[in-house]
Amino acid sequence: MTDGPTGSRARRHGRAGRDLRAATLVGLGLGAIVLSTLFLLEQAFAGLVVVVMVVAVWELATALGARSIQVPVVPVVLGTVLMLVGAYLGGGSPLLVGLGLTVAAVCAWRLGDPRPGYLRDVSAGIFTSVYVPFLAGFALLMVRPDDDGAWRVFALLIVVVASDTGGLLAGVLAGRHPMAPSVSPKKSWEGFAGSVILGVGVAVPVAMYAFDAPWWTGVVLGVTGVVGATLGDLGESLIKRDLGIKDMSQLLPGHGGLMDRLDSLLPTAPLVWLVLEYVVTA
């Protein structure tokens, strides 16, 4: 007996209703692009981050626009480029200055629009500027050191991926107690435990062999990364729930939009930067 179209689709889609085959292929492709640019040509990685964050800003602005929240896209996009290029070339001070200039530009830009909702739209523009390019700027701060910059970014990526993977596996196999049922019904405490186990499991060898640091710094790195990734995932779930959408866009087959892949990475970046700077490599 052969399966019909419905049976074939059921095998390809997981519990979230996504095409697992497409999601896997797209995920591997994205990983290959990021890691190859990161370790082979640092400038290309920085450029990739800028392009990805501009698209992410567009995704978030479009999603907010569907609910009549008009993000001042032009100053936010220009500010995105300014912040990220500044962070890569000059470090933390240009990143902060770029954020300040972007906030000022958002406020000034919206003054020329006579429509009501100035405070709402400016708040959305500032939120978008902080949430996407400013947080992403910490990844470019990490890549700046000549000796181990690529490995710092790799530590961020591998811990977040391990957190997501461990949480998914443990949640599917043993999830019984919801963590935040009103925000993300499928996220469980058992899944969080799986995230911690796998996140720490990859962070310890990375800390020891990539940075020649004590094993316990890897524990700090892993736990911090898992907490950041979990809070980031819950935070975007809240945003999407308020907007009444499942995905930020349909740009990536099997994944949704870029923001649906960045939700764990963005809030985790400053936390991992802090741990790497003052604990692991101190």
Side-chain angles (χ1 to χ4, degrees), residues 15 59 94 100 172 176 189 192 217 249 254 274 279:
R15 294 174 62 182
E59 280 188 349
V172 169
R176 297 294 183 272
W189 285 108
F192 179 73
T217 64
S249 78
L274 191 68
V279 178

Side-chain angles (χ1 to χ4, degrees), residues 28 74 100 116 140 142 174:
L28 291 174
V74 172
L140 294 182
M142 279 187 264

Side-chain angles (χ1 to χ4, degrees), residues 45-68:
F45 172 75
L48 178 65
V49 172
V50 174
V51 172
V52 167
M53 294 310 146
V54 168
V55 176
V57 164
W58 169 80
E59 280 188 349
L60 183 54
T62 301
L64 292 169
R67 293 295 179 268
S68 300

Side-chain angles (χ1 to χ4, degrees), residues 166-220:
L168 176 63
L169 293 176
V172 169
L173 296 175
R176 297 294 183 272
H177 301 87
M179 176 181 289
S182 64
V183 178
S184 183
K186 293 182 180 180
K187 190 170 291 294
S188 65
W189 285 108
E190 291 83 0
F192 179 73
S195 293
V196 173
I197 292 170
L198 194 56
V200 171
V202 301
V204 169
V206 167
M208 293 176 64
Y209 296 109
F211 304 107
D212 196 25
W215 67 268
W216 62 267
T217 64
V219 176
V220 177

Side-chain angles (χ1 to χ4, degrees), residues 9 28 38 47 81 86 93 99 105 116 136 142 144 151 168 185 217 234 249 261 273 278:
R9 286 194 298 269
L28 291 174
L38 177 62
V81 177
S93 294
L99 176 61
M142 279 187 264
R144 280 172 50 80
W151 286 106
L168 176 63
T217 64
L234 290 173
S249 78
R261 296 300 89 207
W273 173 82
Y278 296 103

